[in-house]
Every structure is written in structure tokens, then in C-alpha cells.
Amino acid sequence: METLWLILLVFMIATYVVLDGFDLGIGVLHLILAKNRSEQKQIMQSIAPLWDGNEVWLIAAGGTMMMAFPGFMSAMFSGFYLPLTMVVWLLIFRAISIELPHLLEDSLWIHFWNMMLFVSSGLLVIILGAAMANVFRGVPLNAEGDFFEPLWTNFRIGKQTGILDWFTILGGITSAVILLHHGALWLIAKTDGAIHQRAQTSANWLWGGSVLLTLIMFTACYLVQPHARASFSDHPWIWILPILAFLALGGTLLLRRLNRPMFAFLSSVGFIYLFIFGGTAALYPNLLPGLNPEHHLTIYNTSPSPEKLAVTLWWWIPGITLVGVYFTILFRSLPKVISAAATDDH
């Protein structure tokens, strides 16, 4: 039962990354790709019906974590209090930066909020990757399952780690490039005209960066986390996940060249799922590794009894079914393409 809930939790987290990830990538790209107000509107209309709903998956993932692994959630919220506070503020700024620019047709007002959207989205994609890298690397847990990390120490991995070191910074940069590529693929699939062409050009560069950084990040993960090395050695089937992830990333380029932009985007979706599930499989059964192997937080020492997990599952299934139906209807109701001409007429 604990393993089943781990799969469900990782699915929720990965779904948030997939859905809000392209919103955040577009939040950065919109300031780079758009050359005028009409093009900015075209870009933002491609995510306007979706972005706030996509954020719900973050709340749902937190609720799933609280139900299934309350000990893990307690350690995370206390140990990562500072970065989590930063995330909350960045989410607030991201939201108001999307909603406020259209209220006044003043160039300074619009430019300010566009810049805030660029900064908040950019920092969020970096923090997201750095947070996942912190979890994968491990933290200085004590016997009670508590830990504290300063924002940084000497940027090296040792007995006293910081939230920022060379590995977590690499994770943040890798996350940023992958999610910008993910956002560019969405724009290719959902826009036409100049934005479509510029998104194609950006995706070419971002694809190359994604491949390179994913290779470097995979190598770093293998070297930094001893449990991951043991997992890949003892359970060779885990290699299937990173191999499929690289194939999915390659598929995004192939499908773009075959002029199948939405399938290229879906291939990126598959890549992100496989990337996150691959990291989870390498850590299993750990949820939050400790720098001291005796203090790992696992799916077994952070969860309630299997009986309680079974009861909770019967509440989770209908809830997630309703969410799935809602998002299916929402995505199917979107226009096939956000036309530049239609934006000009708006």
C-alpha cells in the first residue's frame, strides 16, 4: 500500500510539473519572443484558461502528501521553510502579473508586470529543479527526522549541505531549460505567425540544451547519491526509465520535424514523467535521504498504517477522477490554434 501511494504522489507532483511547467516556461519566453503588445496577448491567450487550474495540482499534490506521508511533509515544510516561503511569494507575483497588465493600457504599467512575470516564472522553474535536487542529494536529517539547511555554505556537498550547492544549482538550471523547451513546444502547437516561428527557433536551441544538461544531471545524480548507484546495480530494470526518457526527448525533435507539434509536446510530457519517476525509482524506498544512511525518511517510517492508507484511497479515487474529467473538458475546449489575426481583432 505504501508503494502504491508513492506512485500516486509522484504522479501528482509530475503532473503539476508537466502542466504548470509549460505555463512557467511561457512566462519566461513571452518577454523574449513577443515584439509588441499584440504578440504578448497571443502568447498569454494560449495559457489564459489553464494557468490557474494547473496550479491546483500543486495543492492536490500537497494534500496527497499530507494524507499518505505526513512525516515526510512535516520534515519538508520545516527544513525547507525559507524556499517554500519564497515559492509562495513567487506564485502570488506570477498570478497578479498575469491578471493585472490588461487593466491599464499604459506602456510602463504593462512592461512592469511583464517583467514581474518573467522574473517570478524564471525563479520558480529554477527553484523547482533545485528543490528536487535537494531531495535527491539528501539532507542532514537527525534521528528525529528533522533537519535545517542554510541557504548556502561553501557550494560543495559535505557533512553540512546548503540549499544551494553546485548540484542543486545544476538541478535548477536543468529544470529551467527543460521547462522553457516544454513551453516553447506548447507555443509551437497552439500559435501561428511570427510567434510560432520564433518558438520553433527557440525550441531548437532549448532542445540541445535539454539533451546536454539532462546527460550532465543524470551523471551527477549517479555520482552524488550512493543509494541511486546501488539501485541501478541491484535493479537493472530501472535503466529502462532514463533510456525511455532520452528517447522521448529525442521524439520531441523528430515529431517537430514531421510537423506534428502537439505530439511533440506530448513527447515532452512523457519525458518529464519518465525523468521524475526514474529519480524516484533510484531512491526507492526512500522519500528523503539523510546524509547519514541511518536517518533516511522512507515510505514506511513516514506513513500511517496500511489500513488508514486503504481507507484514504477510496476518497482519493473519486476526487482525482473528477479533476481528470474537468481537465479533459477544459483542454478539449481550447481553440486548436491561437491566431495572431484574431488577437489583433480582439
Side-chain angles (χ1 to χ4, degrees), residues 311-325:
V311 171
T312 304
L313 184 62
W314 290 108
W315 288 94
W316 186 89
I317 291 173
I320 200 64
T321 301
L322 288 172
V323 172
V325 170

Side-chain angles (χ1 to χ4, degrees), residues 145-157:
D146 300 321
F147 73 96
F148 169 76
E149 283 188 308
L151 191 57
W152 67 80
T153 54
N154 55 13
F155 292 95
R156 291 182 290 189
I157 299 174

Side-chain angles (χ1 to χ4, degrees), residues 332-345:
R332 288 175 65 89
S333 68
L334 291 175
K336 187 175 181 179
V337 173
I338 308 297
S339 171
T343 306
D344 289 334
D345 294 338

Side-chain angles (χ1 to χ4, degrees), residues 129-197:
M132 291 186 175
N134 267 276
V135 171
F136 191 90
R137 178 206 61 204
V139 296
L141 289 163
N142 60 24
E144 289 73 39
D146 300 321
F147 73 96
F148 169 76
E149 283 188 308
L151 191 57
W152 67 80
T153 54
N154 55 13
F155 292 95
R156 291 182 290 189
I157 299 174
K159 293 183 179 180
Q160 178 56 61
T161 56
I163 293 170
L164 296 177
D165 57 33
W166 69 265
F167 179 70
T168 59
I169 292 173
L170 175 62
I173 296 171
T174 302
S175 169
V177 173
I178 288 172
L179 293 181
L180 262 65
H181 177 246
H182 193 49
L185 292 176
W186 177 260
L187 288 177
I188 292 169
K190 302 302 292 184
T191 63
D192 62 7
I195 292 299
H196 176 87
Q197 295 301 323

Side-chain angles (χ1 to χ4, degrees), residues 268-282:
S268 177
V269 169
F271 164 68
I272 294 171
Y273 271 111
L274 289 162
F275 190 94
I276 294 174
F277 270 96
T280 303

Side-chain angles (χ1 to χ4, degrees), residues 64-88:
T64 302
M65 189 186 301
M66 181 178 66
M67 291 187 296
F69 305 107
F72 173 53
M73 185 173 188
S74 174
M76 290 280 287
F77 271 66
S78 62
F80 291 132
Y81 185 82
L82 175 59
L84 285 171
T85 302
M86 294 169 62
V87 165
V88 170

Side-chain angles (χ1 to χ4, degrees), residues 12-338:
M12 299 293 287
I13 294 171
T15 301
Y16 167 72
V17 175
V18 162
L19 293 179
D20 209 29
F22 74 81
D23 290 346
L24 294 171
I26 289 171
V28 176
L29 289 171
H30 93 287
L31 200 63
I32 300 170
L33 300 183
K35 304 303 181 183
N36 54 54
R37 183 60 179 151
S38 176
E39 291 178 351
Q40 289 173 354
K41 288 180 179 179
Q42 183 186 9
I43 290 174
M44 298 312 297
Q45 283 181 14
S46 73
I47 63 170
L50 304 172
W51 70 268
D52 50 351
N54 290 343
E55 278 190 355
V56 171
W57 286 91
L58 180 61
I59 301 170
T64 302
M65 189 186 301
M66 181 178 66
M67 291 187 296
F69 305 107
F72 173 53
M73 185 173 188
S74 174
M76 290 280 287
F77 271 66
S78 62
F80 291 132
Y81 185 82
L82 175 59
L84 285 171
T85 302
M86 294 169 62
V87 165
V88 170
W89 277 104
L90 289 170
L91 287 171
I92 292 171
F93 271 102
R94 196 275 291 261
I96 61 178
S97 297
I98 292 174
E99 294 294 338
L100 291 185
H102 69 277
L103 297 181
L104 289 177
E105 288 298 327
D106 178 83
S107 59
L108 182 60
W109 170 269
I110 293 170
H111 183 71
F112 173 79
W113 288 114
N114 285 339
M115 183 60 67
M116 288 299 100
L117 178 59
F118 174 84
V119 172
S120 58
S121 299
L123 289 175
L124 279 168
V125 294
I126 292 171
I127 290 174
L128 188 63
M132 291 186 175
N134 267 276
V135 171
F136 191 90
R137 178 206 61 204
V139 296
L141 289 163
N142 60 24
E144 289 73 39
D146 300 321
F147 73 96
F148 169 76
E149 283 188 308
L151 191 57
W152 67 80
T153 54
N154 55 13
F155 292 95
R156 291 182 290 189
I157 299 174
K159 293 183 179 180
Q160 178 56 61
T161 56
I163 293 170
L164 296 177
D165 57 33
W166 69 265
F167 179 70
T168 59
I169 292 173
L170 175 62
I173 296 171
T174 302
S175 169
V177 173
I178 288 172
L179 293 181
L180 262 65
H181 177 246
H182 193 49
L185 292 176
W186 177 260
L187 288 177
I188 292 169
K190 302 302 292 184
T191 63
D192 62 7
I195 292 299
H196 176 87
Q197 295 301 323
R198 291 182 201 131
Q200 286 274 22
T201 303
S202 298
N204 290 332
W205 288 98
L206 292 166
W207 181 84
S210 296
V211 172
L212 177 61
L213 286 168
T214 300
L215 283 169
I216 295 172
M217 193 67 198
F218 176 81
T219 304
C221 287
Y222 190 85
L223 296 174
V224 163
Q225 181 49 257
H227 187 88
R229 293 197 297 273
S231 294
F232 279 104
S233 176
D234 297 340
H235 308 287
W237 66 265
I238 297 177
W239 286 97
I240 296 172
L241 295 172
I243 291 171
L244 289 176
F246 277 108
L247 290 175
L249 185 55
T252 63
L253 179 63
L254 176 62
L255 288 164
R256 276 200 300 119
R257 290 183 173 177
L258 294 174
N259 197 29
R260 304 300 295 272
M262 184 50 71
F263 284 99
F265 174 76
L266 293 176
S267 189
S268 177
V269 169
F271 164 68
I272 294 171
Y273 271 111
L274 289 162
F275 190 94
I276 294 174
F277 270 96
T280 303
L283 290 181
Y284 181 85
N286 297 321
L287 284 170
L288 185 61
L291 298 180
N292 183 341
E294 296 179 359
H295 298 157
H296 293 328
L297 293 183
T298 72
I299 60 175
Y300 302 109
N301 63 17
T302 60
S303 63
S305 66
E307 293 77 15
K308 291 181 180 179
L309 291 176
V311 171
T312 304
L313 184 62
W314 290 108
W315 288 94
W316 186 89
I317 291 173
I320 200 64
T321 301
L322 288 172
V323 172
V325 170
Y326 168 75
F327 271 84
T328 300
I329 295 172
L330 180 62
F331 273 83
R332 288 175 65 89
S333 68
L334 291 175
K336 187 175 181 179
V337 173
I338 308 297

